C-alpha cells in the first residue's frame, strides 16, 4: 500500500518492531509504564512474537506487577516452548512472589533447553541454595517462636566506649530521639540496649490497639499521611535523609503535629532499621502523634526476601529480627479519620458488602494469608475501569471506581487513601477523586525517578493538601544490599 507521498507504508510487523525498539529505549530509561504501553501496542500488531511478551513481562516485574509478568511470560512460552527468556522471566516473577517450587521448575527448564550454558547452570544452583536456605530458616523459625519478653533490655550493658544516643532511665525523650536521628545521619548504629527498649515499649502500645483504629482530628487541627518509605534514608553530609526530609518539610511528629505512616516502612531500601527505629521511637514519645498501619512488606516472608530480616541480623542479631516479625503482627490494618476518610495500605475487596465492623473483627496477629480480607487490605490496587479484575501483582484484587463508590456509600465514608504503588508525582487522585494513592519514597530503589509526596488534612473540611519532594543524595550503599543474593541477578 502506498502513502500520500508515493512511498510504501510499513507492514504491521515492521511497525511492531519499531514499537518494540521504542519500548526498549523507555525500559532502559526506567520508564517502565511507558515501556509496557509500547510493548502492548507491538503485541496488538503482532501477538505471536514471544519476545514482545517476555519483554513486557520484564517491565511488569520492574513495577512489581508479578501476576501480569507471569501471565505474559507464560504466553511467550506458549508461542515458543524453547524460548529461554520466557521461562527465565516467569521464574523470576514466581520467585519474587515466594512461589519457590514454580520458580525452580522454570529455572530447571532453562538449563534443560541450554544445558551447556554455564551462566544458566550457575544461577540455577544459586537459586536452589537460596530456596533451601529460606525453607530452612522458616522451619527453624516455626519451631522456635520467640517473644518480645525473652530479651530484657535492662540486662544489656552499654560499653563506656559507646558515644551514641542514650536513654537515661526508662523514659524515651525528644532529646534522645533527635540525637539518635543525628547518629543515623552519620551512619552510627543505635546501641542494642536502646533498640530492644524501643521495641519493648512500642509493643506495649501497639498490641492493645484495635485492627481498625478511629482517629479523631479536632477542628482547626491537622494530620499528615505518608505512604511507603521502604527503608530509604539517603544520607549525605548535612542533607536530611528521605524520611527526615519529610520531617524537615512538615515538622517533627508530636501530639500537635500528628502523622500516619501507611505501611511498607521496611525492605528494599538498605536503611530500614534506621527508618523503623525512628518511627517507633516517635510512637513511644507521642502515642497520639504517630499512627502506623501495616503494609504488605511488614511480614516475615517479604522481609526474608527483600532485605529487612538480613539487615537486622547484620546490624543487630537474629533475636531482634524475630521480635520485629512479632511486632509487625501487632500493627493495625487500617484507620478512619473523623468517620470520613478510610486509610489503608493496599485497597478494597473481592466482594461487596464489607463493613467497617468486618475489618475490626479480623484477627491481625498473624502472618498475612494468601486470600481474604486481610490479604486484600494489604495487597489490592485500584484500576481505572469498573468492577473487579485479577490483580497485576498476583495477590489481592484490582477494583474499579464503582467498587470504591459502593464501599464508601455502604460505610458512610467520603474518601479512600491508600499507598502501595509508585506514582510519578508521588501521589495520584483516581476514581473521580474518591481514592488517593500516596507514595513517599522518591526515586524508589534508586531507579524509578519518581517524586515522593505526603498529604495534610485539616479539620473540619479535611480537604487533601499535597506536598511533593525529590530524593536527596545518599552514600554508596545500594538498595537491596541485605536482600537474598538471588535478587542481585534477577534484577
Amino acid at each position: 500500500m502506498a502513502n500520500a507521498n508515493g512511498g510504501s507504508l510499513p507492514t504491521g510487523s515492521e511497525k511492531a518492531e519499531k514499537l518494540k525498539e521504542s519500548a526498549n529505549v523507555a525500559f532502559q530509561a526506567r520508564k517502565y509504564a511507558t515501556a509496557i504501553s509500547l510493548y502492548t501496542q507491538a503485541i496488538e500488531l503482532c501477538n505471536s512474537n514471544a519476545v514482545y511478551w517476555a519483554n513486557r513481562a520484564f517491565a511488569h516485574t520492574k513495577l512489581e506487577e508479578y501476576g501480569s509478568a507471569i501471565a505474559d511470560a507464560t504466553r511467550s512460552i506458549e508461542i515458543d516452548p524453547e524460548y529461554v527468556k520466557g521461562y527465565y522471566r516467569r521464574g523470576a516473577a514466581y520467585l519474587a512472589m515466594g512461589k519457590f517450587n514454580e520458580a525452580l521448575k522454570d529455572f530447571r527448564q532453562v538449563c534443560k533447553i541450554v544445558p551447556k550454558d554455564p551462566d544458566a547452570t550457575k544461577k540455577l544452583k544459586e537459586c536452589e541454595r537460596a530456596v533451601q536456605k529460606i525453607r530452612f530458616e522458616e522451619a527453624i523459625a516455626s519451631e522456635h517462636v520467640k517473644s518480645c519478653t525473652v530479651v530484657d533490655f535492662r540486662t544489656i550493658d552499654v560499653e563506656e566506649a559507646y558515644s551514641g544516643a542514650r536513654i537515661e532511665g526508662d523514659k524515651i525523650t525528644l532529646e534522645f530521639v533527635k540525637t539518635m536521628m543525628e547518629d543515623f545521619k552519620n551512619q552510627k548504629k543505635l546501641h542494642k540496649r536502646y533498640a530492644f527498649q524501643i521495641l519493648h515499649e512500642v509493643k506495649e502500645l501497639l498490641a492493645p490497639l484495635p485492627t481498625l483504629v478511629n482517629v479523631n482530628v479536632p477542628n482547626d487541627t491537622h494530620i499528615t499521611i505518608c505512604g511507603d518509605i521502604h527503608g530509604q534514608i539517603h544520607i549525605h553530609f548535612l542533607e536530611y535523609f528521605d524520611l527526615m526530609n519529610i520531617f524537615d518539610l512538615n515538622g517533627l511528629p508530636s501530639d500537635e503535629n500528628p502523622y500516619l505512616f501507611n505501611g511498607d516502612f521496611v525492605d528494599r531500601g538498605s536503611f530500614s532499621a534506621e527508618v523503623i527505629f525512628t518511627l517507633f521511637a516517635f510512637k513511644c514519645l507521642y502515642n497520639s502523634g504517630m499512627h502506623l498501619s501495616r503494609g504488605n512488606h511488614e511480614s516475615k516472608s517479604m522481609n526474608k526476601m527483600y532485605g529487612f530480616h538480613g539487615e537486622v541480623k547484620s546490624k543487630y542479631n537474629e533475636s531482634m529480627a524475630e521480635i520485629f516479625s512479632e511486632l509487625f503482627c501487632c500493627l493495625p490494618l487500617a484507620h478512619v479519620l473523623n468517620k470520613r476518610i478510610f486509610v489503608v495500605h493496599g485497597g478494597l475487596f473481592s466482594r461487596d458488602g464489607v463493613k467497617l465492623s468486618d475489618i475490626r473483627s479480623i484477627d491481625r496477629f498473624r502472618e498475612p494469608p494468601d486470600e481474604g480480607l486481610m490479604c486484600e487490605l494489604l495487597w489490592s490496587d485500584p484500576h481505572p475501569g469498573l468492577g473487579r479484575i485479577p490483580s497485576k501483582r498476583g495477590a489481592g484484587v484490582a477494583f474499579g471506581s464503582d467498587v470504591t463508590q459502593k464501599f464508601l456509600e455502604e460505610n458512610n465514608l467520603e474518601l479512600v487513601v491508600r499507598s502501595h504503588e509508585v506514582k510519578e508525582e508521588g501521589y495520584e487522585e483516581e476514581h473521580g477523586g474518591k481514592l488517593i494513592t500516596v507514595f513517599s519514597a522518591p526515586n524508589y530503589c534508586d531507579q524509578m525517578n519518581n517524586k515522593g509526596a505526603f498529604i495534610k488534612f485539616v479539620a473540619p473540611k479535611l480537604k487533601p493538601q499535597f506536598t511533593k519532594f525529590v530524593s536527596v543524595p545518599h552514600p554508596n550503599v545500594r538498595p537491596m544490599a541485605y536482600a537474598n543474593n538471588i535478587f542481585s541477578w534477577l534484577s
Side-chain angles (χ1 to χ4, degrees), residues 153-403:
F153 64 87
R154 296 175 183 85
T155 66
I156 302 174
D157 293 328
V158 180
E159 302 82 4
E160 289 187 12
Y162 174 71
S163 60
R166 292 174 179 260
I167 300 174
E168 302 298 337
D170 290 337
K171 186 174 179 58
I172 294 172
T173 64
L174 180 58
E175 180 182 2
F176 161 78
V177 177
K178 287 182 175 180
T179 303
M180 179 186 70
M181 291 188 296
E182 191 67 24
D183 288 346
F184 289 161
K185 285 172 59 179
N186 295 316
Q187 300 187 66
K188 294 171 66 175
K189 188 174 70 173
L190 180 66
H191 194 281
K192 62 182 179 180
R193 174 190 170 102
Y194 307 124
F196 278 114
Q197 184 170 348
I198 290 171
L199 298 185
H200 173 81
E201 185 167 334
V202 84
K203 186 189 178 187
E204 298 298 311
L205 295 170
L206 293 176
L209 291 174
T211 296
L212 175 65
V213 176
N214 290 313
V215 178
N216 180 45
V217 186
N219 288 348
D220 301 318
T221 69
H222 65 270
I223 188 168
T224 300
I225 299 180
C226 300
D228 304 36
I229 297 294
H230 274 298
Q232 294 192 184
I233 68 169
H234 290 180
I235 315 168
H236 180 67
F237 299 110
L238 299 179
E239 294 280 0
Y240 281 113
F241 50 73
D242 286 338
L243 172 60
M244 284 305 300
N245 193 28
I246 295 172
F247 296 156
D248 185 41
L249 293 168
N250 196 59
L252 290 175
S254 68
D255 292 333
E256 294 73 36
N257 188 35
Y259 283 80
L260 196 171
F261 280 84
N262 199 25
D264 281 13
F265 322 120
V266 302
D267 278 342
R268 296 192 179 276
S270 296
F271 302 94
S272 293
E274 289 80 358
V275 165
I276 197 65
F277 279 125
T278 300
L279 295 178
F280 278 179
F282 273 115
K283 180 66 178 174
C284 295
L285 186 60
Y286 303 115
N287 186 24
S288 62
M290 177 62 74
H291 304 280
L292 302 167
S293 286
R294 191 175 190 176
N296 62 300
H297 275 268
E298 277 69 60
S299 73
K300 187 179 293 187
S301 61
M302 291 289 104
N303 296 161
K304 290 200 171 183
M305 287 192 291
Y306 291 99
F308 181 61
H309 187 90
E311 180 183 342
V312 175
K313 283 178 62 179
S314 174
K315 294 178 179 178
Y316 294 95
N317 54 41
E318 176 73 31
S319 176
M320 185 177 290
E322 292 299 324
I323 289 173
F324 269 112
S325 295
E326 180 182 347
L327 265 173
F328 289 159
C329 293
C330 298
L331 288 165
L333 300 182
H335 293 74
V336 174
L337 310 183
N338 287 9
K339 301 181 180 180
R340 292 164 56 187
I341 299 174
F342 181 69
V343 186
V344 66
H345 178 73
L348 302 182
F349 312 101
S350 57
R351 61 178 175 87
D352 291 330
V354 175
K355 300 296 180 62
L356 296 182
S357 58
D358 297 319
I359 299 171
R360 290 190 190 98
S361 67
I362 295 172
D363 175 14
R364 74 180 190 275
F365 295 96
R366 54 178 174 154
E367 290 302 310
D370 294 332
E371 59 184 10
L373 298 185
M374 183 173 176
C375 171
E376 290 162 0
L377 285 165
L378 299 177
W379 281 95
S380 291
D381 296 294
H383 75 85
L386 300 175
R388 297 172 174 89
I389 59 175
S391 168
K392 292 180 179 180
R393 299 177 189 268
V397 67
F399 58 96
S401 58
D402 55 330
V403 176

